Amino acid sequence: MAKLLLYLTLATSLIPLFSVAFSPENPTDRRVLVLVDDFAIKSSHSLYFGSLTSRGFQLEFKLADDPNIGLQRYGQYLYDALVLFCPSVERFGGSIDVASIVDFVDSGHDLIVAADSNASDLIREVATECGVDFDEDPAAMVIDHINYAVSNFDGDHTLIASDDFIKADVILGSKKIEAPVLFQGIGHSLNPANSLVLKVLSASSSAYSANPKSKLSNPPSLTGSAISLVSVVQARNNARILITGSLSMFSNRHEKSGNEQFLTEISKWVFHERGHLKAVNVRHHKVGESDEPAIYRINDDLEYSVEIYEWSGTSWEPYVSDDVQVQFYMMSPYVLKTLSTDQKGHYSAEFKVPDVYGVFQFKVEYQRLGYTSLSLSKQIPVRPYRHNEYERFLPAAYPYYGSAFSMMAGFFIFTIVHLYSK
Amino acid sequence: MARSTGKDAQALFHSLRSAYAATPTTLKIIDLYVGFAVFTALIQVVYMAIVGSFPFNSFLSGVLSCVGTAVLAVCLRIQVNKDNKEFKDLPPERAFADFVLCNLVLHLVIMNFLG
């Protein structure tokens, strides 16, 4: 009995240790599983991995077909993020497959997928699940005869330079990336109907995707800036995915290019070190009071307030913006007001309850490029006037009041006259 | 033709006046009361036509108090008139008591609806 108690206390005391890694209070990922084709990548891409470990990530390197790998055990995920640097893997080992990777992302975890010119069908399938279509020709690479990088190999212009970045400071950092990014690999295209995928780095308009070793027999299907070199996806559950067609972009080869700054900044975004919002402390009350009523009356003046914070990588900073809006919603927004901020993360707005009764919701729907989406809603009923809350003694009705009283007086006088006249 | 109709109208008017002068004073007092009530109701309708019907319940209450009490006064006149063979057996006190009671109920309702 005592032994059982001992084991129980031991087990429960270890639980907090497991929850330090990734929680709503600390949204940056901590434990990252990196799947590679062979361990030479550890040294050839050491600068990139070094930048990750210097920011506090715990990287675990495993071969992609290692039979012991698994993303979760007994229903709990072992890692917060997954990095697939294994473009030529045919079959994952252990318990990982495309479905388990999709479940991993669906549960809110982040993913980086890097394909290359020898990308297997499995990696292409993973990318398609995320909303990105690599060029179907397995031997095709992105070629650009105008914006290619001059290098020792000087051959087929497959090492291209591009600086067509997405304009989002949240994703790429506020410092401008001066040097172009060098890329050598396959390109992908995005479905224009997909609203969750963003092109972070697109090829220039002179690029096309074709096999560099053979002559072009028919025009290439992917051309120009429709080719995306690096894309990100922010899913509706705020999981972030980075997909790119060049593993060599991450390698140590390219100094003096914008690769290092570009990849550092975009990794910060993918691993939730930037652009992660949380909204807390939703409050509403009648103007002049401070406690939250359970029901409002039509034509009441009320005030709604919320606090929004942004994760800076180490702490929650106030989020300052002037376009957060609140809706007073019942099947359609009756009131839509922009919240004003006090620059310290506190947003508030005052408005009058509309002249309609029913069950309303305070809704804040905030979706901005690169930021997590906020979707808050709080239900509140609104009642009509009570019978003694209507206006009385209206000046417009004084003639009617006067006539009613004069009729009563007239009736009284008439009865006296009628009774006492002969 | 016009002059004869004009003379006929004048003769009609005169005969009406003399016939009315013959009615008892009690009935004349009741007629005065009815006239006052209808006049008050007319004033309110003209006011509503000018200003609009915003506190409609107040308008209805005011007009209905005038019209209701006029109707009750007319009923009193019918029942109290000695020339009326239908109500020969009805004591005039009973008619007056009915009038007073109905008016009390009417004015109670009016005060409630006045808003």
Side-chain angles (χ1 to χ4, degrees), chain B residues 62-77:
Chain B
V63 169
L64 235 46
S65 83
C66 303
V67 170
T69 194
V71 166
L72 291 172
V74 167
C75 294
L76 178 68
R77 190 189 198 274

Side-chain angles (χ1 to χ4, degrees), chain A residues 391-401 403-408 410-412 414-419 421-422, chain B residues 26 29-30 33 36-37 40 44 47-48 54-55 58-59 62 65-66 69 76 96 99-100 103 107 110-111 114-115:
Chain A
E391 296 168 329
R392 298 189 81 179
F393 310 122
L394 304 155
Y398 280 174
Y400 309 126
Y401 304 153
S403 88
F405 285 116
S406 82
M407 287 317 297
M408 287 168 65
F411 159 70
F412 187 65
F414 167 75
T415 57
I416 295 176
V417 168
H418 186 264
L419 282 178
S421 76
K422 276 294 150 244
Chain B
T26 321
I29 293 176
I30 298 181
Y33 181 63
F36 163 66
T40 317
Q44 285 174 86
Y47 175 76
M48 187 212 85
F54 162 53
S58 309
F59 163 70
S65 83
C66 303
T69 194
L76 178 68
F96 182 70
F99 171 73
V100 167
N103 256 312
H107 282 104
I110 292 303
M111 289 317 291
L114 202 54

Side-chain angles (χ1 to χ4, degrees), chain A residues 122-391:
Chain A
L122 189 58
I123 291 291
R124 285 168 196 266
E125 202 182 324
V126 170
T128 311
E129 288 288 336
C130 300
V132 149
D133 296 311
F134 281 109
D135 196 352
E136 280 170 3
D137 186 354
M141 292 176 68
V142 181
I143 304 173
D144 192 342
H145 294 302
I146 298 179
N147 295 338
Y148 60 92
V150 175
S151 67
N152 294 337
F153 308 104
D154 183 62
D156 41 14
H157 301 163
T158 52
L159 180 63
I160 63 176
S162 172
D163 55 359
D164 196 357
F165 299 111
I166 191 177
K167 289 184 185 35
D169 279 353
V170 144
I171 301 180
L172 291 177
S174 43
K175 204 155 117 299
K176 185 165 151 38
I177 302 177
E178 300 293 344
V181 170
L182 296 178
F183 178 96
Q184 183 172 31
I186 56 180
H188 53 265
S189 65
L190 309 176
N191 188 350
N194 189 340
S195 58
L196 302 173
V197 189
L198 302 166
K199 247 197 287 200
V200 174
L201 181 67
S202 22
S204 70
S205 44
S206 52
Y208 62 98
S209 175
N211 187 345
K213 294 190 180 45
S214 66
K215 264 176 83 149
L216 271 183
S217 47
N218 31 358
S221 49
L222 275 182
T223 56
S225 15
I227 302 180
S228 172
L229 304 176
V230 179
S231 307
V232 295
V233 180
Q234 174 151 298
R236 290 199 179 88
N237 61 352
N238 296 326
R240 293 175 173 171
I241 308 173
L242 170 74
I243 303 174
T244 174
S246 166
L247 183 53
S248 61
M249 193 174 57
F250 294 86
S251 69
N252 300 349
R253 262 205 313 175
H254 312 291
E255 298 164 335
K256 294 223 201 82
S257 67
N259 285 25
E260 197 183 325
Q261 185 189 356
F262 174 70
L263 293 172
T264 310
E265 296 296 326
I266 205 171
S267 307
K268 279 191 193 163
W269 184 81
V270 171
F271 291 138
H272 285 272
E273 281 179 66
R274 195 168 47 217
H276 189 98
L277 302 175
K278 79 167 176 182
V280 290
N281 222 351
V282 170
R283 284 179 34 236
H284 58 89
H285 54 90
K286 272 201 242 224
V287 169
E289 299 175 15
S290 65
D291 53 341
E292 217 172 81
I295 186 170
Y296 282 110
R297 196 203 66 200
I298 59 175
N299 298 334
D300 262 346
D301 288 310
L302 63 80
E303 187 179 325
Y304 175 87
S305 69
V306 66
E307 289 173 18
I308 303 182
Y309 294 104
E310 185 182 353
W311 178 248
S312 69
T314 46
S315 63
W316 292 102
E317 304 292 320
Y319 175 67
V320 176
S321 159
D322 57 355
D323 59 355
V324 187
Q325 289 181 320
V326 66
Q327 301 174 5
F328 200 54
Y329 175 93
M330 173 166 74
M331 313 261 273
S332 72
Y334 283 80
V335 175
L336 182 67
K337 233 166 145 61
T338 309
L339 297 168
S340 59
T341 174
D342 68 347
Q343 310 294 333
K344 291 204 196 49
H346 181 92
Y347 292 82
S348 68
E350 268 182 35
F351 56 90
K352 205 179 181 53
V353 175
D355 196 4
V356 179
Y357 54 88
V359 178
F360 283 86
Q361 286 174 323
F362 289 108
K363 270 171 104 131
V364 173
E365 302 276 341
Y366 190 70
Q367 279 119 19
R368 294 286 175 272
L369 191 88
Y371 287 103
T372 57
S373 54
L374 293 177
S375 192
L376 314 165
S377 112
K378 201 158 190 184
Q379 206 176 53
I380 188 80
V382 169
R383 65 167 175 86
Y385 282 121
R386 286 203 198 97
H387 72 283
N388 60 352
E389 282 174 348
Y390 288 97
E391 296 168 329

Side-chain angles (χ1 to χ4, degrees), chain B residues 29-43:
Chain B
I29 293 176
I30 298 181
D31 290 336
L32 193 65
Y33 181 63
V34 170
F36 163 66
V38 170
F39 172 67
T40 317
L42 240 86
I43 293 182

